Amino acid sequence: MDYLGDISIAHAKGGRRGKAVIPSETMRDQIDDLQRRVSKEIEEAGTLAELDEVRIKYLGKKGELTNLLKAVGSLPKEERPEFGAKVNSLREAIETGLREKSGYLDRKALDEKVRREVADVTLPGNLPEIGSLHPITKALREIVQIFYGMGFTVYESREAETDEMNFVKLNLAPGHPARDAQDTLYLTDTTLLRTHTSPGQIRGMLEMEGRLPVRFIVPGRVYRRDPFDASHSPVFHQVEGLVIDRHITFEDLKGCFLEFARGFFGPDTQIRLRPSYFPFTEPSAEIDVSCTICRGRGCQVCSRTGWLELSGAGMVHPRVIRNGGYDPEEVTGFAFGFGLDRAAMLKWGIDDLRVLFENDLRFLTQFEGL
Amino acid sequence: MKVPWKWLNEYVELDWTPEEACERLTLAGVKVEELTYEKVDLSGVVSALVEDVSPHPSRPDLRVGLLSTGTGRFTVVSGAPGLLKGNMVLLAVPGSRLPGGMAVETKSVAGVESQGMVVCSNEILAGAEHRPGEDIILLPAGIPLGLAAQEIIDLDDWVMDLDLTVNYSHCLSILGVALEASVLSGKPLKLPSLLEKWDWAGPWGSRRPEDDPEMPGEWKIELADPDLCPRYVGKLVRGVRQTYSPPEIERRLMLAGMRPISAIVDATNYVMLETGQPLHAFDADKLEGRVIWARRAKRGEAIETLDGEERPLDEGMLVIADAHGPVAVAGVMGGARTEVSGETRNILLESAFFAPIPTRRASRKLRLRTEAALRFEKTLDPTAQPVAIERAAGLISEYTGGVPEPARSDANVMEPVNKSILFSTRVIKRALGAPISAGRCREIFESLRFAPGPVTKVGEWETMEVTVPPRRVDIEEEIDLCEEIARHHGYHNFEPRLLSPATPGGPPSREYVWSDKLKDFLVSMGGREVVTTSLLSQEDLNAMGWDAGDARGTPVPLQDPLSSNESVLRTSLLPGLLRVVFRNQSVRMPGGFFWETGRVFYPSAEELPLEALQLGLAMYGNLREASWVEGSLEATFYRLKGVVEALLRLMGLEASFLPGASMPFHPGISARVVAGHSTVGEIGEVHPLVMRNLNLTGRCATGWLSIEAILAMAKEKRFTPVSRFMQVERDIAVAVDAGVLAGDVIKVVEETARDLASVRVFDVYDKPPVPEGKKSLALRLTYRPSDRTLTEEDLSTDRDRIIDALRARVGGEIRL
Ligand SMILES: [Zn+2]
């Protein structure tokens, strides 16, 4: 690399212009010589220290270029400006050369340092603690979001209830055979642990005090007198939905539930409504969703039917509407209720209800994630 | 309810496959839970003619028959009375197999070689020995020789197992299902001749003039408790003899899930399955006196039921009684004393209406879930009693040769039911949405054998008066008729419609949003959300060290718990969380941080218990195991406290931690969390005693917070301007008596220093050179002046002020 290239050209031009004046010829030789040497030494300097030596040798207080500048004073007066300018431009050229070389060496040293610093990227990173929501909460959050999108809000109702709210107001008078289907855990003769989230329908309606529309879901814990097994638990969770308004029909129920099922289980999910019986709805329906495992083709989980029972539903019984403080001649409504645990199990392919309540870390950690 | 396919098709000839029928019935609300193919495996059983019979050389009770199957001759030894020359029988030739794997071989019977066996119906249906008095099957004459048994007796069938909701009591019979299938398929209903008279709505419900409750010279029926038994029909059949039902009938009963017993009992069961009306047969000669009582059981009464069990009765149960005492638990099971047996010559048939609730109660209490009880528990057709009893009497007469008395006894205090409901197409439009015409509605009602009146136009709607037969006890009002229309129109034929989007949805309250944020925060802290049961045992609470003096030790009890393990409502989340710790320790998980939000319950002066929303936390072991980068993260009191501090800070709460919390906490390593002058929670290490009670190992930190309390105090953050000046840090180390609380030292600094942003304790040291009984706290003070750059002089003045205050207020000596 020729660090002083452009100075050499300037010197050559000066050479053509200059006449044969001996002192100046000598001077010119000295400049040429110095230029050659500096250029060579800068080029050869391999470290910043060596480069610094070159700087001191030529540009230091007693450096050669300094001496040369002093010698310009002994030249004939008319030649001094020319040589003074030459020496000065040589000085600038040397300084530039030194700076560039220094930059080069500095970068080279940095590159060298960087080259030596190597991480084994396959070593594991320093992982922060990772937490997780329980699948029941995870499922509920998804469900809640879907219903928010359909204009629903959430109503949270109490778990210990009166027989009146849990049964009578829902058209289940004492001795009603449908009470048997919900083996009840009583606290006293008149109070119990709610067997379904349906009393939330009554409490929620009463709190609305006749305002329309009524659109809410009631998620929460429910209790049955069931022993613990793969598909039963004395404590489980339900999501109840209630819509009361003018002109609400069975078709709205179908549309609303389909929207939910597709949002929760996937856009190609189908639903099937079958007549069923709940004292608080009329007509009543059982809602099946296409099997989440086999997508409706038939498998073990769906007993080869392609359908999974998910929810009870129906048009709210006129008596229940009245018990909620609304006039069944003026408004109609639909309601549905399904097992949140079951929905979560179907969504993630969990085959045993008990694992939801065991809280084994090997289970919980599977639900890490956003 | 099991429905054998061929039996069903006897009443309605369906052109569906059994699978199609299941689908159609299910979609109309008659849910078929399972469809199975039931097959009797008979190989090598063929028709054979008894060509000759000779006595057995040594045994007078046996005979030797020579049988021909057309292609072969077989010598068979048998004691069956039906082995008579010229009879056509079924022969199991050597090498054939009977159900249950029973193999038929050539074997010597009392010295005579028997080549196979002639079979009775128990052998070919159940693969079991013939029953007392059971004869071999005698085939009608004219059947070709050597014909396989399956070709002669139709034994294989599909069986639909129905799972019916409680309102479908009208489908608890083959006839009821047949009617539904007839409506759905459009195929006509074909009834047995007697049942044809059953017009489904009509006069059978009322008593005929000739049906007197006092049969001449026979029994008088006394309805002592008409609320429990408003109708009791009796009929005498004389001169019956013990026999078994024809194999086809026995097979049907078996397919329907019932065990064949004898022709008489089978007839009552058969008619129950056919019509839905349970019946009972008493041995009339064993009844004492001439009055049949339908009355409540008396205190101390008991009955030996047909299953041989002695059962105590109570006054809530209805019994059928004679002069001597109870002869049946009404609607549940008959008594042994009047049981029909081989000696029975005269029988009294019972066909009654029992009230559902007491029947259900009795059946549950006695743990006798009989087919009869399962039906009486639902409200049955109040008009079916006479037709059912006549049908049964007819069958008994046919099978046993008995002669029914022409009259029957009918005690009936039920009001005749005339359910007439005004039906308008308005209800269709309002509830269903889809336009279904009045004509179509009328068609559906007619096919259901309801009686719809003429259609009248009222404004924009069309109305009709619909008379509903008594058997449809589920239909009470217009909306019920609407459901009948909906299900026969087909739920699948309604179009889904999206709710109007006009209403904005979203969370109901700020608290709801914040409780979600709280969960997100705990996840971000590495916490694992758990869900534990709300039902605990008193022992679970006692194990936490809560005695009767502690509110948490006196829970809300369940009245009738399933087990003592789940007999009280949780008063805290901690027992459940510590159970999760135990679970994970027992499967050797090295550590975990668990949390749960949920309700806890306390007794209250109000009718309902108090419900409070709680956050529970528990951690043990290594929260993060050591890696090549850094050491492990241990679950300690301070780790848990840090999480709680951060949580409270993020919620904008100012809280303090006061030493010492109650059980289950370690008294020296626990704190009460106090905010706004009230305790909002407790945290601490678990008391070693509790650790021992729960079989926990190592150390475990736990705690709870009242979610309602902290959400009520939670504050949204406000912006404060950021200073343009740089922050400065200074350290100070102070030695205080070991008993002095760090919190008090920090408080002194916070109250004294100026422009102070925070104080951080970065070391606590109590070893030499710190004097015995003292501890040294190293504090880093961060100054964040808002209006100037602090000078060394400012800082030094502040330091002097702090030193003076520490000396004066906590006896602190500055070490640095
Ligand atoms: Zn499937």
Side-chain angles (χ1 to χ4, degrees), chain B residues 465-682:
Chain B
E465 194 83 20
V466 182
T467 303
V468 180
R471 69 191 164 79
R472 290 304 301 268
V473 289
D474 57 316
I475 292 176
E476 289 173 348
E477 49 197 316
E478 189 184 23
I479 194 72
D480 302 322
L481 290 174
C482 174
E483 179 170 74
E484 289 299 300
I485 298 296
R487 72 187 183 95
H488 283 100
H489 176 69
Y491 280 13
H492 53 282
N493 286 323
F494 291 94
E495 284 300 317
R497 189 174 77 167
L498 266 185
L499 287 171
S500 83
T503 314
S509 63
R510 172 182 162 277
E511 281 74 18
Y512 191 89
V513 176
W514 275 79
S515 67
D516 263 354
K517 291 184 181 180
L518 182 141
K519 292 177 188 176
D520 289 336
F521 167 75
L522 290 163
V523 170
S524 75
M525 289 291 101
R528 304 282 175 188
E529 188 190 17
V530 299
V531 170
T532 70
T533 178
S534 329
L535 302 176
L536 301 175
S537 69
Q538 184 68 48
E539 288 68 42
D540 291 328
L541 303 179
N542 295 347
M544 305 295 284
W546 295 328
D547 51 31
D550 193 313
R552 288 168 292 186
T554 46
V556 178
L558 303 192
Q559 199 177 46
D560 185 19
L562 202 54
S563 79
S564 65
N565 289 336
E566 291 155 350
S567 58
V568 302
L569 288 177
R570 64 182 175 189
T571 53
S572 162
L573 299 181
L574 301 189
L577 280 160
L578 294 182
R579 195 183 287 172
V580 173
V581 171
F582 173 76
R583 154 88 196 187
N584 282 285
Q585 284 192 342
S586 67
V587 293
R588 301 284 183 273
M589 302 305 289
F593 167 20
F594 308 101
W595 58 273
E596 179 176 20
T597 62
R599 311 260 178 106
V600 297
F601 304 82
Y602 290 98
S604 115
E606 308 288 313
E607 185 183 22
L608 288 170
L610 200 78
E611 291 182 21
L613 198 55
Q614 204 174 68
L615 164 66
L617 306 149
M619 50 171 69
Y620 80 96
N622 281 336
L623 301 180
R624 191 188 58 221
E625 292 198 89
S627 76
W628 66 279
V629 190
E630 60 186 333
S632 62
L633 182 67
E634 302 285 330
T636 62
F637 168 74
Y638 293 109
R639 174 71 196 164
L640 183 73
K641 187 185 175 207
V643 171
V644 172
E645 282 174 319
L647 171 64
L648 296 174
R649 195 173 90 195
L650 297 191
M651 297 196 121
L653 246 75
E654 301 217 352
S656 49
F657 293 79
L658 304 185
S662 56
M663 286 301 250
F665 298 103
H666 187 303
I669 314 177
S670 62
R672 282 185 298 123
V673 185
V674 175
H677 306 294
S678 58
T679 300
V680 298
E682 292 176 307

Side-chain angles (χ1 to χ4, degrees), chain A residues 291 293-296 298-302 306:
Chain A
C291 180
I293 308 296
C294 64
R295 294 278 147 210
C299 70
Q300 195 103 39
V301 176
C302 56

Side-chain angles (χ1 to χ4, degrees), chain A residues 182-198:
Chain A
Q182 308 189 352
D183 251 343
T184 310
L185 287 165
Y186 276 92
L187 300 174
T188 66
D189 289 346
T190 57
T191 62
L192 45 79
L193 293 171
R194 64 176 174 191
T195 56
H196 46 190
T197 40
S198 309

Side-chain angles (χ1 to χ4, degrees), chain A residues 6-26:
Chain A
D6 55 340
I7 301 299
S8 306
I9 293 159
H11 163 71
K13 283 174 185 166
R16 276 195 301 276
R17 257 197 337 268
K19 300 295 165 201
V21 181
I22 290 171
S24 59
E25 280 300 321
T26 312

Side-chain angles (χ1 to χ4, degrees), chain B residues 598-781:
Chain B
R599 311 260 178 106
V600 297
F601 304 82
Y602 290 98
S604 115
E606 308 288 313
E607 185 183 22
L608 288 170
L610 200 78
E611 291 182 21
L613 198 55
Q614 204 174 68
L615 164 66
L617 306 149
M619 50 171 69
Y620 80 96
N622 281 336
L623 301 180
R624 191 188 58 221
E625 292 198 89
S627 76
W628 66 279
V629 190
E630 60 186 333
S632 62
L633 182 67
E634 302 285 330
T636 62
F637 168 74
Y638 293 109
R639 174 71 196 164
L640 183 73
K641 187 185 175 207
V643 171
V644 172
E645 282 174 319
L647 171 64
L648 296 174
R649 195 173 90 195
L650 297 191
M651 297 196 121
L653 246 75
E654 301 217 352
S656 49
F657 293 79
L658 304 185
S662 56
M663 286 301 250
F665 298 103
H666 187 303
I669 314 177
S670 62
R672 282 185 298 123
V673 185
V674 175
H677 306 294
S678 58
T679 300
V680 298
E682 292 176 307
I683 57 165
E685 278 201 15
V686 178
H687 196 293
L689 204 60
V690 177
M691 294 288 285
R692 196 183 298 164
N693 290 343
L694 302 178
N695 284 316
L696 299 179
T697 56
R699 301 182 88 98
C700 177
T702 188
W704 63 270
L705 290 169
S706 159
I707 292 184
E708 278 132 356
I710 61 174
L711 289 187
M713 286 187 262
K715 283 192 286 285
E716 298 282 352
K717 290 283 169 62
R718 297 277 305 175
F719 164 78
T720 48
V722 176
S723 169
R724 290 186 290 112
F725 302 94
M726 60 181 182
Q727 74 175 33
V728 186
E729 288 173 349
R730 284 293 180 273
D731 291 350
I732 198 166
V734 58
V736 291
D737 282 349
V740 171
L741 298 176
D744 292 339
V745 174
I746 291 168
K747 201 169 163 203
V748 169
V749 175
E750 283 175 343
E751 287 173 3
T752 314
R754 292 183 188 159
D755 295 318
L756 188 73
S758 65
V759 184
R760 183 158 58 87
V761 180
F762 67 89
D763 195 24
V764 179
Y765 196 68
D766 62 356
K767 304 211 165 41
V770 176
E772 183 84 16
K774 296 257 180 195
K775 67 180 170 193
S776 168
L777 299 173
L779 310 175
R780 172 150 301 171
L781 283 53

